[in-house]
Amino acid sequence: IRSVGKVVELARIVHDRHGMKSGDIKKERATANVIAMDCLNGLVSISRSSQNPNIVNEAISVMQNILIMLHSDNDPKHGPSHFEATDAATIQSSALRRIILILVSNL
């Protein structure tokens, strides 16, 4: 599960470098964000279907890291950046609901 998070991190690095070279960083960041959203969606599915608490906890941890990365481009003083991840399938809110549900159930 940690390797899924690593894929997301490396996708961002590779696409950002490619965007700097090609001059189209916005397009490349959007591609990296699509990869992140796909991985996030998979982790939400794993956390829902697994009965193993170690797997669920690891999936939740990686989901949190991906969400932090996706929101790291947003500046609280100036609003969302032009790199904002599009989330037509509401994957981010689904991930947040899953994280909150796991946290509340463990209280």
Side-chain angles (χ1 to χ4, degrees):
I1 291 180
R2 287 184 203 144
S3 62
V4 173
K6 196 66 167 171
V7 165
V8 173
E9 290 175 27
L10 293 174
R12 171 149 304 180
I13 292 168
V14 168
H15 284 282
D16 281 356
R17 286 182 184 167
H18 188 262
M20 285 185 210
K21 288 180 184 177
S22 69
D24 197 1
I25 194 163
K26 187 175 180 180
K27 178 184 171 218
E28 293 297 327
R29 178 59 64 88
T31 302
N33 286 343
V34 167
I35 293 168
M37 298 298 268
D38 289 343
C39 290
L40 190 60
N41 190 34
L43 289 168
V44 169
S45 297
I46 288 171
S47 73
R48 285 183 180 151
S49 62
S50 179
Q51 298 298 319
N52 184 327
N54 293 329
I55 291 175
V56 173
N57 290 338
E58 194 64 40
I60 294 296
S61 175
V62 174
M63 287 165 42
Q64 288 174 324
N65 291 337
I66 292 172
L67 287 169
I68 289 168
M69 185 194 68
L70 287 170
H71 291 276
S72 67
D73 297 324
N74 294 337
D75 180 0
K77 293 181 183 177
H78 301 101
S81 73
H82 60 279
F83 293 127
E84 185 176 3
T86 56
D87 188 7
T90 63
I91 296 166
Q92 292 181 67
S93 63
S94 178
L96 283 172
R97 280 193 307 271
R98 186 68 185 151
I99 291 168
I100 291 169
L101 178 67
I102 295 297
L103 290 173
V104 169
S105 68
N106 286 327
L107 292 178

